[in-house]
């Protein structure tokens, strides 16, 4: 009889008291997508991360739309000389992808050092969201 037990923070497979397998498990052996080194299901981890990704993406899209409407209405109401100077200033940003600029700014926030990230998740998410809304 094969059974799964949690022991020392890892999911191990036992059969009659003997350890048969320890994490990380390959795909389709215990879980469909396999497991990480502590034995947690990778599919569950991806679904849990997807809710944050989709939620923050929707928030960024809504705030970008609102920010663009307000800023666009203000810039459109300016006189032609000031409007043309603003247009000349921001024209190069249509050539350089904004994704690259955002990557260079957010690199220090997105890159995780070996000892882990010491800044709380909500602060990082708020900073990333505000930078992406501004771009």
């Amino acid at each position: 009889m094969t059974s799964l037990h949690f022991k020392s923070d890892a999911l191990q497979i036992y059969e009659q008291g003997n350890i048969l397998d320890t994490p990380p498990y390959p795909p389709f052996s215990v879980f469909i997508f396999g497991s990480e080194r502590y034995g947690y299901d990778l599919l569950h981890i991806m679904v849990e991360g997807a809710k944050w990704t989709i939620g923050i993406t929707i928030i960024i899209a809504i705030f970008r739309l609102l920010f663009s409407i307000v800023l666009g209405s203000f810039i459109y109401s300016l006189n032609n000389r000031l409007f043309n100077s603003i247009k000349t200033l921001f024209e190069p940003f249509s050539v350089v992808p904004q994704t690259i600029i955002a990557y260079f700014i957010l690199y220090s926030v997105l890159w995780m050092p070996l000892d882990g990230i010491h800044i709380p998740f909500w602060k990082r998410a708020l900073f990333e969201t505000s930078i992406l809304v501004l771009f």
Side-chain angles (χ1 to χ4, degrees):
M1 179 173 144
T2 303
S3 61
L4 299 173
H5 296 286
F6 282 104
K7 193 158 190 155
S8 69
D9 295 333
L11 183 69
Q12 299 174 342
I13 300 177
Y14 287 86
E15 184 174 7
Q16 297 176 352
N18 298 324
I19 297 176
L20 293 180
D21 200 5
T22 59
Y25 301 114
F28 298 108
S29 65
V30 177
F31 303 112
I32 292 176
F33 287 154
S35 72
E36 47 116 48
R37 65 179 160 171
Y38 297 112
Y40 297 109
D41 183 16
L42 284 179
L43 177 63
H44 177 74
I45 292 171
M46 286 190 298
V47 169
E48 189 174 324
K51 72 179 177 185
W52 289 104
T53 303
I54 293 169
I56 291 174
T57 303
I58 290 171
I59 290 170
I60 288 170
I62 290 170
F63 279 119
R64 284 184 73 168
L65 182 67
L66 295 174
F67 186 70
S68 297
I69 289 172
V70 170
L71 190 64
S73 300
F74 173 72
I75 290 175
Y76 186 73
S77 67
L78 297 174
N79 62 18
N80 281 342
R81 185 170 178 223
L82 192 57
F83 177 76
N84 287 334
S85 63
I86 291 174
K87 183 178 175 184
T88 305
L89 178 68
F90 287 105
E91 190 71 30
F93 290 109
S94 65
V95 176
V96 177
Q98 294 164 354
T99 309
I100 293 174
I101 299 169
Y103 174 77
F104 286 128
I105 291 174
L106 294 174
Y107 179 77
S108 62
V109 178
L110 299 174
W111 188 258
M112 184 172 74
L114 293 176
D115 60 344
I117 296 177
H118 303 291
I119 301 169
F121 173 75
W122 68 271
K123 285 184 180 179
R124 288 184 291 129
L126 186 64
F127 179 72
E128 293 170 20
T129 304
S130 61
I131 292 297
L132 292 175
V133 165
L134 289 175
F135 280 134

